[in-house]
């Protein structure tokens, strides 16, 4: 079951992206590329303890995040959706606080940003998204919000994903399952862990419409996501999108991709850089010129430095926060410890 025929009627009136929007997409992709590259360097410098790069996945993340309605919808990310967060206007110092281990889930406000706390459990965010989406159905809201849950080709083999898809299909939950197939489940290539070679093809088993899209084409990703959101909003149940892209760097800053693939394999698999590809399209269509691209690079570098300074200024959080924010019902021992902590602080 493919998505295009199912959504043709819903998408007929969708306006094409304006020149301004196309330039904004490029500006976002440049900002994400700069910040992603910088974050790897920050880990090497000891500014943050760990980071999961997304080099090569900028189009998939920015294109999908740009389509989200930040009033109605809610995004449920993994640990690799910095580009989605940036496209949705999430405070990036607050976002990066998780990578600095200053606070779990990020110091941004999930309710205001419509971007749930970062989820490190593989496929964990998928269950949360379906639960939120089902809540929208139960509430019977006239302006239905849609959950968008991100996960990779590796996470798609988790049992949680299959349970979530089945439940969402049965209950017609308004949720978009957005898979970034970057070719690798850490060190295992997709063809060795996804039966049939396609995650999108699995959707048919649950009666869910699906679409496999070029994940390195930011406009194609945006249009696919916009159509999927319209499908869900109309009460038609969930949609699966598989964005085909490539992880150009390591799985995380603790990973050495040279142990499982050669540089030649990486170059062949990665294909054309999504950022350069979009730049050439904008030039060919007369949407932007070299002065625009230079300014976008300058602003991205400036933003990167501002975020770096903000991260460096993050101090440790008060230890007593765990008693009010971590435990819903503290044990007697923890309550006693909290009392002792407060008394000690008052007399310090």
């Amino acid at each position: 079951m493919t998505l295009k025929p199912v959504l043709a009627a819903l998408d007929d009136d969708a306006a094409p992206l304006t020149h301004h929007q196309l330039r904004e997409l490029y500006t976002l992709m440049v900002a994400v590329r700069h910040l992603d590259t910088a974050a790897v360097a920050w880990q090497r410098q000891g500014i943050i303890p760990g980071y999961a790069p997304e080099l090569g996945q900028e189009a998939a993340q920015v294109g999908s995040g740009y389509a989200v309605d930040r009033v109605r919808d809610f995004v449920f990310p993994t640990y690799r959706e910095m580009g989605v967060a940036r496209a949705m206007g999430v405070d990036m110092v607050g976002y990066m606080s998780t990578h600095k281990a200053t606070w779990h889930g990020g110091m941004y406000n999930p309710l205001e940003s419509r971007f749930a706390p970062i989820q490190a459990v593989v496929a964990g965010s998928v269950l949360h998204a379906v639960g939120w989406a089902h809540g929208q159905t139960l509430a019977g809201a006239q302006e239905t919000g849609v959950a968008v849950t991100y996960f990779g080709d590796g996470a798609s083999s988790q049992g949680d994903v299959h349970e979530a898809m089945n439940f969402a299909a049965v209950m017609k939950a308004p949720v978009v399952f957005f898979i970034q197939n970057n070719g690798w489940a850490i060190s295992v290539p997709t063809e060795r862990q996804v039966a049939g070679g396609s995650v999108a093809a699995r959707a048919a088993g649950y009666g869910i419409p699906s679409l496999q899209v070029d994940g390195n084409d930011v406009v194609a990703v945006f249009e696919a996501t916009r159509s999927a959101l319209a499908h869900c909003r109309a009460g038609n149940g969930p949609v699966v999108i598989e964005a085909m892209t490539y992880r150009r760097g390591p799985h995380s800053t603790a990973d050495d991709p040279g142990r499982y693939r050669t540089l030649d394999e990486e170059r062949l698999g990665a294909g054309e850089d999504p950022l350069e590809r979009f730049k050439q399209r904008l030039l060919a269509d007369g949407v932007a010129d070299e002065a625009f691209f230079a300014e976008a690079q300058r602003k991205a570098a400036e933003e990167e430095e501002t975020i770096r300074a903000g991260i460096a200024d993050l101090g440790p959080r008060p230890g007593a926060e765990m008693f009010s924010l971590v435990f819903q019902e503290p044990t007697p021992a923890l309550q006693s410890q909290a009392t002792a902590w407060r008394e000690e602080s008052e007399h310090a």
Side-chain angles (χ1 to χ4, degrees), residues 278-293:
F278 192 40
K279 175 182 177 180
Q280 294 306 319
R281 174 176 176 174
L282 296 183
L283 281 170
D285 293 346
V287 175
D289 55 20
E290 291 294 348
F292 163 78
F293 297 120

Side-chain angles (χ1 to χ4, degrees), residues 48-128:
I48 57 177
Y51 180 70
E54 60 180 69
L55 184 65
Q57 297 179 224
E58 296 88 356
Q61 297 207 4
V62 169
S64 57
Y66 194 73
V68 172
D69 184 328
R70 285 182 270 172
V71 175
R72 293 182 288 178
D73 303 333
F74 218 110
V75 165
F76 294 82
T78 72
Y79 44 77
R80 203 189 301 276
E81 270 68 64
M82 184 270 287
V84 180
R86 179 62 184 83
M88 290 179 62
V90 175
D91 172 64
M92 296 315 294
V93 174
Y95 175 89
M96 293 300 296
S97 68
T98 300
H99 296 288
K100 190 178 178 180
T102 301
W103 190 236
H104 54 84
M107 293 177 68
Y108 56 89
N109 188 322
L111 292 178
E112 291 179 0
S113 66
R114 313 300 286 179
F115 192 85
I118 295 170
Q119 174 63 263
V121 176
V122 177
S125 58
V126 180
L127 296 172
H128 298 166

